[in-house]
Amino acid sequence: MSRILGILNLHNEKKLGEITSKRSLGALSFLGRYSFCDIPLSNFGNSKINSSCILVKNNFRSIIRHIDASQGYSENSKLGTLYMLYNEKYANEEIYNTDINNLIENKWILEENNFSHVVIAPTHLIYKLDFQEVIKQHEALNSTITVCYKKINNGKKDFLNCDSYLLDETNKLRGIYQNKGTEDAINISMETYVISTSKLLEILEFSKKTSQIFTLRDILNYISTSLDIDTFEYKGYLRCIENINDYFKYSLELLDLNILKELTSSSWPIFTKTHDTPPAKYLEGAKVKDSFISNGAIISGEVDHSIICRSVKIGKNSKIKNSIILSDTQIDDNVTLENVIVDKSAKIIYTKELKGKFDKPIYIKQGDII
Amino acid sequence: MKNEIVALVLAGGKGTRLKGLTKKNCKPAVFYGGKYRIVDFVLSNLANSNINKIGLVTQYETVELNHYTSSGKHWGFDGNNSSFTLLSPRQKEEDSSWYKGTADAIYQNLDFLEQFNPEYVLIASSDHIYKMNYIKMLNFLKQKEGDVCLSSIDVSIEEASRFGILSLNDNNQILSFSEKPKHPTSTNASMGIYIFKYKVLVDCLKHDAKNTLSSHDFGKDIIPYLLSKNKKLFAFPFHGYWKDVGTLSSLWKANMDLLDDSSTLDLYDEHSTFKIYSEDTKSLPQYIGPNALVSNSIVNQGSIILGEVNHSVVFNDTLIEEGAFIKDCVIMPRAVIKKGAKIYKAIVSSDVIIDENRIINSEKKEVILVEK
């Protein structure tokens, strides 16, 4: 089997507002016990890609805090490596802080190792994909670049602002454009690429000479008119986390176990860092339904259609509905929350009722006492 | 290299009274508390005491325990300068034999201890649920300038005949020791945790090995021998939760204690100063379904609860189907309770599937074990 490097690209992740002011989306809590970056990293691991790296754009601290390289995502911990790649030079120059410049800065990882291909995946687009299938097609077609996409039929409503692909009659990529909601039948870019290592090094050289602020996406778009870029059609679960409403909606959607199994299952687990928390505890009077509850939580009140993260405490007679409560938060007795996202380590004590709307949840900041 | 203290954990016992739970598994690897195995407690205690040179002495049905403990990484014993070794009986040049008793198990591993050349050796069984900082016990022994320290706990006079009972002077020095006395004269029970001065341990084990009449047991043979030789043995008084989980009913009771607010065992340890470490399974968070009812219970990750769970301890990756009902139960990993089944006061072993509408133990008198 050829040696593959998985590259998690955090450069194109979306900012969701206050909830990502101090953290990367990759480090934001997902389903109560994971972070978003666990999903692509587990896709690498489950696809038997041992070596991986993360292109960190900013909020480095949040990523370092979450990633426990010693536990890893790979099958063999010696073969498995996880590098953090960071562009120190351009850390404070937003416009230059691109994935391409990060890769140029950290080119050693491509030069010093004997990887035949790289697989590049984002964190704001979530899906379950065995990259070996893409690599198999890539090798069979003798491709240099393969980009992944999904056909959708509701582009006027869904995946707005996401990139979509213009394909020719032989399914070669001929352009990348943003979905402005003018057409229903479009090919959504998964921002997921298999590229042979030598081609990627070529691209880096090419971009140096062409534009110093080109992103990988810009270059692929630029060269797609003159070079044959192959495409891989993915047909499974795909969501794009563009804003806090997407975060809210698509997290709660996974309470439907039939949808959840399209993203993860016992044969395709999501790996994450352990916090050694005890099992969740349900006290007298607890009424929990249709919810994910993480370990360490202690629940006395009612919880309905919600996600309760690690070590959250919910007091007596409190009612939590349609909400996401991040880890270590305390909710006092007699509190009613509906359509609320409470960030980590907050305390809800004095405010006894908060009701947002499903399409506009209320957000309570990390560590706040209200 | 000189080491202050090395720990040997006795994990070779069969635990016959746990019946089916130890048919293909040894007692230390038996599940407890929704997430843990019994051995997690002694190993987490060692980690939290910063004692990182460890030998785990195993004999009966070692496969699952060896697999689970492997390099000791769940408890951090894979760190720098840590050492974690599984000590099963081995073939030797001169002879080979199974461990004939707790003392013989240590005697056969004196060569292992020698490489560390420790000042003290801690010997602990792995049959109990408790949290303890062993360094406090070591400091107590040093302060008393003794040869051996046993940790002791105050038990009721009714229970006293189940334990090794110590009689003490005002200075906590042990005057006599009687194993499971019919008529106990004190309520200070030995907890099966010993700290020996290394030289004292080596001498008494070598002596014991030559004694053909000895049963090679710490309680029955070694402690009485040391007392007869006027060695200075002290009892370190322990206060707190300590439960033997050697029988089905005591294992069940210790699980139920986790649901009792007045129990002194706190696994939720707010400031994370003394966590109990265990395997973190690659499970999803637990899902509680639209018509489920869970109260007075603890439930681990990966479980899907669609029915009713009342006053029970539910392990990882179990499935409780809609209309199923469990009360006062311990449901071990990956068990499935199908629709309409009702279970009372039972331990359901791992991977068991309970058929639809099956009623188990509705009399609720004794705890029963449901096994494959």
Side-chain angles (χ1 to χ4, degrees):
Chain A
M1 201 191 283
S2 42
R3 283 196 73 202
I4 311 289
L5 174 70
I7 302 177
L8 170 58
N9 183 3
L10 301 183
H11 278 272
N12 303 326
E13 64 178 34
K14 312 296 172 184
K15 278 292 169 195
L16 312 189
E18 184 68 30
I19 199 166
T20 52
S21 65
K22 287 186 191 156
R23 57 163 82 90
S24 154
L25 172 65
L28 177 61
S29 171
F30 175 69
L31 287 194
R33 73 172 297 218
Y34 308 111
S35 292
F36 273 93
C37 68
D38 291 333
I39 307 168
L41 291 173
S42 299
N43 276 335
F44 290 149
N46 287 319
S47 302
K48 312 254 183 250
I49 295 174
N50 273 318
S51 306
S52 49
C53 64
I54 306 179
L55 299 180
V56 184
K57 184 182 183 188
N58 43 30
N59 299 114
F60 207 173
R61 182 199 53 84
S62 65
I63 296 290
I64 291 177
R65 207 174 151 182
H66 177 74
I67 298 291
D68 183 351
S70 69
Q71 245 166 283
Y73 296 81
S74 59
E75 204 162 81
N76 182 298
S77 66
K78 286 289 176 190
L79 300 181
T81 49
L82 180 59
Y83 296 104
M84 303 271 196
L85 305 185
Y86 185 56
N87 193 348
E88 222 164 271
K89 196 160 107 191
Y90 291 135
N92 298 314
E93 292 179 68
E94 173 73 26
I95 197 165
Y96 286 96
N97 196 0
T98 63
D99 42 14
I100 288 288
N101 282 337
N102 193 339
L103 279 168
I104 290 173
E105 185 76 8
N106 293 290
K107 212 160 63 168
W108 61 270
I109 198 165
L110 302 170
E111 289 169 340
E112 292 173 18
N113 296 284
N114 195 23
F115 299 117
S116 59
H117 304 87
V118 301
V119 177
I120 302 178
T123 195
H124 61 284
L125 284 148
I126 59 173
Y127 55 81
K128 178 176 95 175
L129 171 59
D130 185 346
F131 295 122
Q132 293 298 344
E133 289 175 29
V134 189
I135 293 163
K136 213 164 106 189
Q137 183 201 295
H138 183 88
E139 287 177 341
L141 297 179
N142 240 330
S143 313
T144 49
I145 305 173
T146 303
V147 297
C148 302
Y149 71 97
K150 180 182 162 82
K151 274 187 182 152
I152 61 162
N153 294 312
N154 55 348
K156 287 183 184 166
K157 262 174 54 198
D158 254 1
F159 294 98
L160 292 171
N161 303 319
C162 289
D163 276 337
S164 55
Y165 287 159
L166 181 67
L167 307 182
D168 67 13
E169 62 286 355
T170 59
N171 275 337
K172 303 278 189 261
L173 178 70
R174 291 299 174 221
I176 304 176
Y177 63 96
Q178 202 180 31
N179 173 26
K180 297 284 189 193
T182 52
E183 276 175 275
D184 266 333
I186 51 173
N187 305 310
I188 289 298
S189 158
M190 292 164 70
E191 299 183 29
T192 299
Y193 319 114
V194 173
I195 307 179
S196 66
T197 309
S198 54
K199 189 71 195 172
L200 181 59
L201 285 165
E202 234 177 76
I203 285 176
L204 297 182
E205 280 309 309
F206 177 75
S207 95
K208 264 191 200 170
K209 290 178 204 140
T210 315
S211 163
Q212 284 77 57
I213 63 167
F214 257 6
T215 63
L216 183 55
R217 177 251 188 223
D218 295 336
I219 292 181
L220 292 176
N221 184 33
Y222 184 78
I223 61 177
S224 65
T225 47
S226 53
L227 180 85
D228 280 353
I229 295 178
D230 286 303
T231 58
F232 177 91
E233 188 190 350
Y234 166 79
K235 291 183 173 162
Y237 170 93
L238 177 72
R239 297 290 183 271
C240 179
I241 311 296
E242 280 262 331
N243 51 48
I244 194 160
N245 292 359
D246 290 339
Y247 171 60
F248 188 67
K249 182 169 66 177
Y250 295 137
S251 295
L252 292 179
E253 172 193 65
L254 290 166
L255 286 166
D256 181 337
L257 300 186
N258 288 319
I259 300 177
L260 181 71
K261 74 174 182 224
E262 293 179 41
L263 178 65
T264 178
S265 64
S266 55
S267 60
W268 198 270
I270 302 175
F271 305 110
T272 191
K273 177 178 176 165
T274 180
H275 292 268
D276 296 298
T277 35
K281 194 166 189 174
Y282 301 81
L283 302 175
E284 187 85 53
K287 278 190 195 137
V288 179
K289 51 183 187 174
D290 194 23
S291 297
F292 287 125
I293 310 292
S294 299
N295 275 4
I298 302 181
I299 298 175
S300 304
E302 296 180 20
V303 180
D304 183 8
H305 199 68
S306 295
I307 297 173
I308 307 297
C309 300
R310 209 169 3 89
S311 303
V312 165
K313 292 194 180 69
I314 297 174
K316 282 179 199 150
N317 298 315
S318 281
K319 293 181 172 60
I320 315 297
K321 197 175 173 186
N322 274 352
S323 295
I324 301 177
I325 314 294
L326 269 58
S327 52
D328 296 306
T329 283
Q330 287 180 37
I331 294 170
D332 208 23
D333 298 345
N334 307 307
V335 172
T336 300
L337 302 181
E338 202 174 319
N339 296 316
V340 179
I341 300 170
V342 184
D343 207 333
K344 276 173 77 172
S345 305
K347 291 188 170 77
I348 315 288
I349 302 169
Y350 308 107
T351 301
K352 292 297 178 190
E353 188 176 292
L354 280 174
K355 286 192 176 173
K357 294 198 175 97
F358 184 70
D359 53 5
K360 201 171 190 305
I362 291 172
Y363 170 70
I364 302 297
K365 288 186 226 167
Q366 183 170 349
D368 271 7
I369 302 171
I370 63 165
Chain B
M1 194 173 123
K2 187 90 182 157
N3 289 281
E4 183 174 39
I5 185 162
V6 172
L8 290 170
V9 176
L10 298 166
K14 179 174 179 187
T16 319
R17 291 170 302 160
L18 287 171
K19 301 188 177 148
L21 290 177
T22 53
K23 205 187 281 169
K24 282 301 287 177
N25 196 6
C26 59
K27 181 171 161 186
V30 165
F31 294 106
Y32 166 79
K35 170 167 186 179
Y36 310 96
R37 294 179 190 251
I38 297 169
V39 74
D40 287 335
F41 284 79
V42 63
L43 293 176
S44 297
N45 286 342
L46 287 165
N48 285 310
S49 305
N50 206 10
I51 299 174
N52 298 307
K53 303 274 192 300
I54 296 169
L56 188 70
V57 183
T58 64
Q59 174 158 281
Y60 175 76
E61 278 296 347
T62 53
V63 176
E64 191 162 337
L65 182 66
N66 288 1
H67 174 73
Y68 176 64
T69 52
S70 58
S71 60
K73 67 171 182 178
H74 297 322
W75 308 275
F77 300 133
D78 55 349
N80 291 336
N81 292 325
S82 289
S83 162
F84 186 83
T85 311
L86 296 167
L87 301 170
S88 299
R90 55 197 143 127
Q91 275 195 326
K92 295 177 189 159
E93 199 170 45
E94 51 286 15
D95 63 348
S96 355
S97 80
W98 296 104
Y99 299 145
K100 293 185 282 288
T102 51
D104 183 53
I106 307 296
Y107 173 76
Q108 290 202 40
N109 288 295
L110 283 179
D111 52 350
F112 169 80
L113 281 176
E114 204 181 326
Q115 58 175 326
F116 294 103
N117 189 22
E119 286 173 61
Y120 296 95
V121 178
L122 184 143
I123 295 165
S125 70
S126 50
D127 302 345
H128 300 96
I129 304 297
Y130 65 112
K131 284 184 173 188
M132 181 174 178
N133 184 345
Y134 301 124
I135 294 301
K136 287 185 182 167
M137 181 172 164
L138 176 64
N139 290 339
F140 180 85
L141 175 63
K142 287 184 196 165
Q143 180 214 328
K144 297 287 183 190
E145 297 179 345
D147 297 306
V148 183
C149 189
L150 283 70
S151 66
S152 78
I153 188 162
D154 196 26
V155 296
S156 68
I157 191 83
E158 296 79 46
E159 302 176 283
S161 51
R162 286 175 38 220
F163 295 99
I165 294 297
L166 312 167
S167 59
L168 311 175
N169 71 11
D170 293 343
N171 190 29
N172 273 46
Q173 188 168 352
I174 300 169
L175 303 174
S176 70
F177 175 93
S178 41
E179 184 70 23
K180 297 181 181 150
K182 282 210 177 79
H183 306 287
T185 52
S186 113
T187 55
N188 291 309
S190 165
M191 296 163 63
I193 306 163
Y194 313 94
I195 297 180
F196 283 82
K197 270 190 172 165
Y198 177 51
K199 297 275 175 290
V200 174
L201 178 71
V202 172
D203 290 347
C204 69
L205 288 180
K206 284 184 174 166
H207 178 270
D208 179 75
K210 286 186 208 128
N211 182 355
T212 49
L213 299 174
S214 172
S215 56
H216 309 295
D217 184 82
F218 274 96
K220 288 191 197 106
D221 308 291
I222 301 294
I223 301 301
Y225 167 75
L226 290 168
L227 286 170
S228 77
K229 292 287 171 195
N230 294 322
K231 295 289 177 191
K232 284 159 74 181
L233 279 66
F234 289 89
F236 171 72
F238 173 79
H239 305 282
Y241 187 92
W242 180 75
K243 272 280 163 70
D244 177 85
V245 284
T247 63
L248 283 180
S249 67
S250 65
L251 178 66
W252 175 83
K253 178 69 176 62
N255 274 284
M256 294 300 122
D257 283 348
L258 293 171
L259 309 175
D260 177 0
D261 284 343
S262 63
S263 164
T264 48
L265 181 67
D266 178 18
L267 295 177
Y268 290 79
D269 195 2
E270 285 217 2
H271 303 291
S272 310
T273 46
F274 209 106
K275 282 186 183 178
I276 300 301
Y277 302 105
S278 187
E279 178 185 26
D280 191 28
T281 54
K282 311 290 178 206
S283 319
L284 283 160
Q286 58 198 272
Y287 175 73
I288 312 294
N291 301 312
L293 192 58
V294 186
S295 67
N296 272 331
S297 296
I298 67 175
V299 181
N300 196 14
Q301 60 200 18
S303 292
I304 298 177
I305 314 272
L306 306 174
E308 190 172 341
V309 173
N310 188 327
H311 200 258
S312 294
V313 172
V314 180
F315 281 75
N316 53 289
D317 304 289
T318 53
L319 170 62
I320 316 274
E321 291 189 351
E322 207 153 310
F325 173 84
I326 63 165
K327 185 174 168 58
D328 304 323
C329 287
V330 178
I331 311 292
M332 291 187 169
R334 302 172 300 275
V336 176
I337 317 293
K338 297 223 167 183
K339 284 180 191 136
K342 292 187 169 46
I343 312 177
Y344 304 88
K345 206 172 178 178
I347 296 174
V348 176
S349 191
S350 48
D351 301 293
V352 167
I353 296 170
I354 306 287
D355 296 333
E356 275 183 33
N357 300 320
R358 191 170 156 199
I359 312 285
I360 294 173
N361 202 18
S362 51
E363 305 82 44
K364 306 167 207 167
K365 282 184 195 131
E366 295 291 314
V367 177
I368 65 153
L369 172 68
V370 187
E371 47 183 316
K372 263 195 190 175

